[in-house]
Amino acid sequence: MENINSSSVDTSQNNSAPEVSVESNTEKSIDKSIELPVISTEEKLTNIESVISSQETQIAKLAESNKNTETALENLRKELGLPEDKEKAPSLLSGEERMKKLQDDKKDLESQKEEIISQQEKEKLINEEKEKILQEKFDELFKEFKNIDPKEFESIFNTGKKISGDNFDSKSTGLLSPEHAKVLASVYEKGIVLLPKIIEIIPELIKKMEKDLTKEATERVERKIEEGKKDITENKNLESTQELKNENEIEIEKSTNIATSEEIIQNVDSSVSINN
């Protein structure tokens, strides 16, 4: 009997070990398979605004509740003939603490909201700058086509390569594959100059240029932002200097007026003394 019991215990232990291992592996496989949904910037803003709105409602309710409690306690003390209590009741302190926490949380969320909006505006500026850069590059490319030897352009137009057999290396768009060079030469020949139409014709080239475009556009935008901040700071300094100057001028004018008044009084006194 003892051997049987011992055997049964061992068996239960042996069975339990693989179960833990299987559960662990299952959890790992689940962790790998689960992908968190990607939340768009607009959804983030909507969620934050919803929470802020809820917090504002809670803060308003707490403020009203605290006020009502405080009024009720004051009336009760008056009815009982008790002196005014300089210390706040625990219920009021608790309500104020909850309200302060909500206000702090709301402030943090508002900062997040401002940061997201700022990032949105920056991304919008970067996209606009990318379009400007692209248009500049194609404008320069078409100038190159216009200024090269007609036979060289004809070779690019027909084969996508120069007469020498080399790929066309543009100063604006860089080294072009024969396929892209040929298409762009055709675009130029047809007089297509607007960016949306060019993008529609050669989306693969635009995709290839995306990384460098984003980098250049981001640098331009960040430089403009810094210049804007610098201008704002300089304008504030000028305004402060002007305000200080105006204050000094007012003080000087006051001093002058006081001095003039004193002189008038002295002159009047002198005149009275002479007449007497």
Side-chain angles (χ1 to χ4, degrees):
M1 290 292 291
E2 288 178 358
N3 290 336
I4 292 170
N5 290 336
S6 175
S7 174
S8 64
V9 170
D10 291 340
T11 302
S12 65
Q13 288 175 346
N14 291 337
N15 289 339
S16 64
E19 286 177 6
V20 173
S21 178
V22 169
E23 186 179 351
S24 177
N25 290 335
T26 305
E27 287 177 356
K28 287 179 181 178
S29 64
I30 290 172
D31 289 341
K32 288 179 181 179
S33 63
I34 292 175
E35 291 184 6
L36 294 174
V38 178
I39 302 175
S40 67
T41 305
E42 288 74 18
E43 287 175 322
K44 284 180 184 177
L45 276 176
T46 302
N47 291 342
I48 288 173
E49 287 168 355
S50 176
V51 175
I52 289 174
S53 177
S54 173
Q55 287 174 333
E56 287 173 346
T57 303
Q58 291 180 64
I59 289 167
K61 286 180 178 179
L62 274 172
E64 186 180 0
S65 175
N66 279 4
K67 186 178 179 181
N68 292 339
T69 302
E70 190 172 11
T71 302
L73 288 172
E74 286 176 359
N75 292 337
L76 183 62
R77 295 187 73 83
K78 285 178 183 178
E79 289 176 9
L80 296 173
L82 297 172
E84 184 180 347
D85 192 359
K86 294 182 180 180
E87 293 185 2
K88 289 187 178 181
S91 58
L92 289 175
L93 290 173
S94 175
E96 287 178 358
E97 285 176 6
R98 286 169 61 198
M99 194 157 59
K100 186 179 182 306
K101 186 179 184 309
L102 281 168
Q103 287 169 339
D104 290 342
D105 291 344
K106 178 173 169 282
K107 189 176 179 181
D108 290 339
L109 285 172
E110 284 172 343
S111 296
Q112 289 180 40
K113 180 182 173 182
E114 287 176 9
E115 188 178 339
I116 290 172
I117 291 172
S118 175
Q119 186 61 32
Q120 270 187 321
E121 290 172 351
K122 185 179 177 181
E123 286 173 2
K124 183 182 176 183
L125 289 173
I126 289 171
N127 287 331
E128 289 173 356
E129 200 64 38
K130 280 163 70 174
E131 290 181 1
K132 287 180 186 177
I133 294 168
L134 264 177
Q135 188 68 67
E136 289 168 8
K137 287 183 179 295
F138 288 125
D139 288 346
E140 288 300 315
L141 173 66
F142 295 154
K143 283 181 184 177
E144 290 180 65
F145 282 158
K146 182 180 179 180
N147 294 327
I148 62 174
D149 184 271
K151 290 182 179 180
E152 195 77 84
F153 177 75
E154 185 179 352
S155 176
I156 295 169
F157 181 83
N158 291 324
T159 67
K161 292 187 176 185
K162 296 166 67 176
I163 296 172
S164 62
D166 295 330
N167 288 351
F168 182 68
D169 193 1
S170 167
K171 292 178 182 178
S172 60
T173 57
L175 191 66
L176 294 170
S177 68
E179 181 187 356
H180 289 146
K182 189 175 179 180
V183 172
L184 286 167
S186 175
V187 166
Y188 167 72
E189 187 70 17
K190 292 175 182 176
I192 300 170
V193 294
L194 295 179
L195 185 62
K197 189 63 179 176
I198 298 171
I199 292 173
E200 187 182 324
I201 294 170
I202 47 166
E204 301 86 2
L205 177 59
I206 307 302
K207 190 174 181 181
K208 185 180 176 183
M209 298 168 68
E210 178 68 23
K211 187 176 179 181
D212 291 337
L213 278 173
T214 302
K215 182 182 177 183
E216 187 176 350
T218 302
E219 288 173 355
R220 282 194 188 185
V221 168
E222 287 178 347
R223 190 160 56 246
K224 286 179 182 179
I225 290 171
E226 287 303 315
E227 288 171 359
K229 287 179 181 177
K230 186 179 178 183
D231 290 341
I232 290 170
T233 303
E234 288 176 356
N235 288 336
K236 283 183 178 178
N237 290 339
L238 285 172
E239 287 173 4
S240 299
T241 304
Q242 187 62 44
E243 286 176 4
L244 186 61
K245 184 180 177 182
N246 292 340
E247 289 174 2
N248 290 337
E249 288 175 353
I250 290 169
E251 289 300 320
I252 291 169
E253 188 176 349
K254 283 181 180 177
S255 301
T256 304
N257 291 337
I258 292 170
T260 304
S261 299
E262 289 176 350
E263 287 175 5
I264 292 170
I265 293 168
Q266 288 174 0
N267 290 335
V268 170
D269 288 344
S270 299
S271 297
V272 171
S273 299
I274 290 169
N275 290 333
N276 290 337

